[in-house]
Amino acid sequence: FGVGQVEVIGFTEFYRMKSELIEQIVKIRQARDYQFAALMVTDISTSSSLLAFDGRTSLCNRLNYHILEPHVAELKGLLSRKKQLLPHLLNVFKEAEPK
């Protein structure tokens, strides 16, 4: 899987570019044969993030984040990709593994 992060002030630009960003996330995921790819967009002025993502349905259904629309989740209070998002994703992937 792959996860990037950008810091912004306000989500206006994200929403303006949302379709293009998701399209690129899908292309990257497919080209690299990832099971999941995402971009965490963190608004430093409100201390919240959005997650633009694409992946296997079994993984995406287990994210446990508020899904605003297809391929976009709200991550209230999450600021750190490494300390907050990645541990959660690793648990999601572990739970989704066939037993």
Side-chain angles (χ1 to χ4, degrees):
F1 70 95
V3 179
Q5 182 176 19
V6 295
E7 294 179 351
V8 298
I9 298 176
F11 292 123
T12 304
E13 192 73 10
F14 168 77
Y15 282 111
R16 189 181 69 74
M17 298 179 63
K18 178 185 63 170
S19 296
E20 297 167 51
L21 290 170
I22 293 169
E23 183 179 310
Q24 290 304 311
I25 291 167
V26 170
K27 285 181 182 180
I28 289 168
R29 186 186 71 77
Q30 292 172 344
R32 295 185 180 175
D33 198 28
Y34 288 169
Q35 295 192 27
F36 183 85
L39 176 65
M40 183 175 176
V41 181
T42 301
D43 181 346
I44 58 175
S45 66
T46 63
S47 298
S48 64
S49 298
L50 295 175
L51 187 70
F53 65 90
D54 184 60
R56 284 192 4 229
T57 303
S58 62
L59 295 173
C60 295
N61 288 342
R62 295 175 183 261
L63 287 178
N64 294 326
Y65 293 126
H66 177 68
I67 305 297
L68 297 174
E69 57 188 82
H71 300 281
V72 179
E74 181 178 46
L75 312 179
K76 284 190 176 180
L78 265 73
L79 299 174
S80 174
R81 173 182 53 146
K82 292 178 185 175
K83 292 180 182 178
Q84 294 174 297
L85 180 62
L86 290 180
H88 175 70
L89 290 178
L90 291 172
N91 285 333
V92 167
F93 296 154
K94 185 176 180 181
E95 290 173 5
E97 286 179 357
K99 304 212 184 237

Tab-separated table of all heavy atoms in Angstrom, residues 32-55:
chain	number	residue	atom	x	y	z
A	32	ARG	N	1.190	0.115	-9.636
A	32	ARG	CA	2.122	-0.496	-8.674
A	32	ARG	C	1.554	-1.759	-8.037
A	32	ARG	O	2.174	-2.350	-7.175
A	32	ARG	CB	2.482	0.522	-7.604
A	32	ARG	CG	3.244	1.688	-8.202
A	32	ARG	CD	3.703	2.642	-7.160
A	32	ARG	NE	4.421	3.749	-7.804
A	32	ARG	CZ	4.861	4.794	-7.173
A	32	ARG	NH1	4.707	4.899	-5.868
A	32	ARG	NH2	5.485	5.755	-7.814
A	33	ASP	N	0.356	-2.140	-8.466
A	33	ASP	CA	-0.321	-3.331	-7.957
A	33	ASP	C	-0.498	-3.282	-6.441
A	33	ASP	O	-0.338	-4.270	-5.744
A	33	ASP	CB	0.424	-4.606	-8.378
A	33	ASP	CG	-0.452	-5.837	-8.259
A	33	ASP	OD1	-1.682	-5.715	-8.372
A	33	ASP	OD2	0.100	-6.936	-8.026
A	34	TYR	N	-0.811	-2.084	-5.917
A	34	TYR	CA	-1.083	-1.911	-4.495
A	34	TYR	C	-2.503	-2.379	-4.202
A	34	TYR	O	-3.385	-2.276	-5.045
A	34	TYR	CB	-0.988	-0.445	-4.085
A	34	TYR	CG	0.392	0.155	-4.042
A	34	TYR	CD1	0.544	1.524	-3.913
A	34	TYR	CD2	1.544	-0.618	-4.123
A	34	TYR	CE1	1.803	2.107	-3.847
A	34	TYR	CE2	2.805	-0.043	-4.071
A	34	TYR	CZ	2.922	1.323	-3.924
A	34	TYR	OH	4.156	1.902	-3.857
A	35	GLN	N	-2.723	-2.805	-2.987
A	35	GLN	CA	-4.080	-3.146	-2.574
A	35	GLN	C	-4.830	-1.916	-2.070
A	35	GLN	O	-6.059	-1.917	-2.007
A	35	GLN	CB	-4.037	-4.224	-1.502
A	35	GLN	CG	-3.482	-5.523	-2.064
A	35	GLN	CD	-3.700	-6.677	-1.136
A	35	GLN	OE1	-4.646	-6.686	-0.344
A	35	GLN	NE2	-2.855	-7.671	-1.233
A	36	PHE	N	-4.053	-0.865	-1.739
A	36	PHE	CA	-4.658	0.357	-1.213
A	36	PHE	C	-3.693	1.509	-1.443
A	36	PHE	O	-2.478	1.351	-1.261
A	36	PHE	CB	-4.926	0.206	0.295
A	36	PHE	CG	-5.604	1.376	0.933
A	36	PHE	CD1	-6.975	1.504	0.907
A	36	PHE	CD2	-4.860	2.356	1.586
A	36	PHE	CE1	-7.607	2.583	1.521
A	36	PHE	CE2	-5.472	3.437	2.195
A	36	PHE	CZ	-6.862	3.549	2.157
A	37	ALA	N	-4.223	2.668	-1.834
A	37	ALA	CA	-3.411	3.873	-1.990
A	37	ALA	C	-4.250	5.065	-1.547
A	37	ALA	O	-5.468	5.084	-1.750
A	37	ALA	CB	-2.953	4.056	-3.431
A	38	ALA	N	-3.575	6.046	-0.938
A	38	ALA	CA	-4.331	7.179	-0.399
A	38	ALA	C	-3.462	8.423	-0.304
A	38	ALA	O	-2.240	8.345	-0.273
A	38	ALA	CB	-4.883	6.831	0.979
A	39	LEU	N	-4.154	9.549	-0.226
A	39	LEU	CA	-3.525	10.829	0.046
A	39	LEU	C	-4.261	11.444	1.229
A	39	LEU	O	-5.471	11.679	1.170
A	39	LEU	CB	-3.604	11.768	-1.159
A	39	LEU	CG	-3.041	13.174	-0.929
A	39	LEU	CD1	-1.531	13.115	-0.659
A	39	LEU	CD2	-3.334	14.070	-2.128
A	40	MET	N	-3.521	11.696	2.312
A	40	MET	CA	-4.069	12.340	3.496
A	40	MET	C	-3.850	13.842	3.342
A	40	MET	O	-2.719	14.298	3.217
A	40	MET	CB	-3.357	11.815	4.748
A	40	MET	CG	-3.882	12.344	6.045
A	40	MET	SD	-3.030	11.501	7.417
A	40	MET	CE	-3.715	12.377	8.798
A	41	VAL	N	-4.946	14.587	3.313
A	41	VAL	CA	-4.884	16.037	3.142
A	41	VAL	C	-5.230	16.651	4.498
A	41	VAL	O	-6.363	16.541	4.967
A	41	VAL	CB	-5.868	16.507	2.049
A	41	VAL	CG1	-5.784	18.008	1.875
A	41	VAL	CG2	-5.590	15.781	0.735
A	42	THR	N	-4.236	17.282	5.127
A	42	THR	CA	-4.389	17.772	6.484
A	42	THR	C	-4.504	19.291	6.501
A	42	THR	O	-3.624	19.992	6.016
A	42	THR	CB	-3.183	17.328	7.342
A	42	THR	OG1	-3.122	15.898	7.318
A	42	THR	CG2	-3.316	17.820	8.773
A	43	ASP	N	-5.619	19.753	7.051
A	43	ASP	CA	-5.845	21.188	7.214
A	43	ASP	C	-5.265	21.595	8.566
A	43	ASP	O	-5.837	21.281	9.619
A	43	ASP	CB	-7.334	21.503	7.145
A	43	ASP	CG	-7.641	22.985	7.282
A	43	ASP	OD1	-6.745	23.756	7.683
A	43	ASP	OD2	-8.786	23.374	7.005
A	44	ILE	N	-4.134	22.272	8.539
A	44	ILE	CA	-3.458	22.624	9.782
A	44	ILE	C	-4.198	23.709	10.566
A	44	ILE	O	-3.973	23.862	11.754
A	44	ILE	CB	-1.992	23.029	9.517
A	44	ILE	CG1	-1.905	24.203	8.541
A	44	ILE	CG2	-1.205	21.841	9.005
A	44	ILE	CD1	-0.502	24.737	8.335
A	45	SER	N	-5.108	24.417	9.915
A	45	SER	CA	-5.848	25.472	10.623
A	45	SER	C	-7.018	24.915	11.432
A	45	SER	O	-7.446	25.540	12.400
A	45	SER	CB	-6.346	26.535	9.641
A	45	SER	OG	-7.318	26.003	8.770
A	46	THR	N	-7.538	23.748	11.058
A	46	THR	CA	-8.665	23.143	11.785
A	46	THR	C	-8.291	21.835	12.473
A	46	THR	O	-9.131	21.205	13.098
A	46	THR	CB	-9.851	22.874	10.834
A	46	THR	OG1	-9.446	21.929	9.836
A	46	THR	CG2	-10.359	24.142	10.203
A	47	SER	N	-7.032	21.412	12.309
A	47	SER	CA	-6.560	20.152	12.907
A	47	SER	C	-7.426	18.969	12.510
A	47	SER	O	-7.834	18.150	13.339
A	47	SER	CB	-6.482	20.260	14.428
A	47	SER	OG	-5.568	21.251	14.815
A	48	SER	N	-7.716	18.883	11.223
A	48	SER	CA	-8.470	17.747	10.706
A	48	SER	C	-7.927	17.372	9.334
A	48	SER	O	-7.179	18.129	8.724
A	48	SER	CB	-9.964	18.056	10.630
A	48	SER	OG	-10.204	19.099	9.720
A	49	SER	N	-8.314	16.195	8.887
A	49	SER	CA	-7.815	15.708	7.605
A	49	SER	C	-8.926	15.067	6.799
A	49	SER	O	-9.942	14.634	7.341
A	49	SER	CB	-6.705	14.664	7.834
A	49	SER	OG	-5.610	15.216	8.516
A	50	LEU	N	-8.689	14.996	5.507
A	50	LEU	CA	-9.511	14.211	4.595
A	50	LEU	C	-8.602	13.147	3.996
A	50	LEU	O	-7.394	13.364	3.855
A	50	LEU	CB	-10.081	15.086	3.476
A	50	LEU	CG	-11.060	16.179	3.898
A	50	LEU	CD1	-11.444	17.040	2.691
A	50	LEU	CD2	-12.303	15.579	4.534
A	51	LEU	N	-9.181	12.013	3.665
A	51	LEU	CA	-8.416	10.938	3.047
A	51	LEU	C	-9.034	10.623	1.698
A	51	LEU	O	-10.186	10.198	1.621
A	51	LEU	CB	-8.436	9.693	3.937
A	51	LEU	CG	-7.532	8.552	3.500
A	51	LEU	CD1	-6.063	8.928	3.707
A	51	LEU	CD2	-7.860	7.278	4.283
A	52	ALA	N	-8.268	10.883	0.642
A	52	ALA	CA	-8.681	10.472	-0.705
A	52	ALA	C	-8.048	9.111	-0.920
A	52	ALA	O	-6.831	8.957	-0.748
A	52	ALA	CB	-8.191	11.475	-1.741
A	53	PHE	N	-8.838	8.103	-1.280
A	53	PHE	CA	-8.309	6.742	-1.311
A	53	PHE	C	-8.924	5.890	-2.413
A	53	PHE	O	-9.990	6.199	-2.943
A	53	PHE	CB	-8.533	6.060	0.043
A	53	PHE	CG	-9.988	5.857	0.383
A	53	PHE	CD1	-10.645	4.705	0.016
A	53	PHE	CD2	-10.700	6.838	1.050
A	53	PHE	CE1	-11.993	4.514	0.314
A	53	PHE	CE2	-12.041	6.672	1.361
A	53	PHE	CZ	-12.691	5.496	0.990
A	54	ASP	N	-8.224	4.802	-2.697
A	54	ASP	CA	-8.734	3.777	-3.601
A	54	ASP	C	-8.127	2.457	-3.147
A	54	ASP	O	-6.977	2.408	-2.714
A	54	ASP	CB	-8.345	4.062	-5.061
A	54	ASP	CG	-8.947	3.044	-6.006
A	54	ASP	OD1	-10.186	2.933	-6.052
A	54	ASP	OD2	-8.177	2.317	-6.664
A	55	GLY	N	-8.903	1.398	-3.239
A	55	GLY	CA	-8.364	0.112	-2.834
A	55	GLY	C	-9.371	-1.003	-2.962
A	55	GLY	O	-10.500	-0.801	-3.408
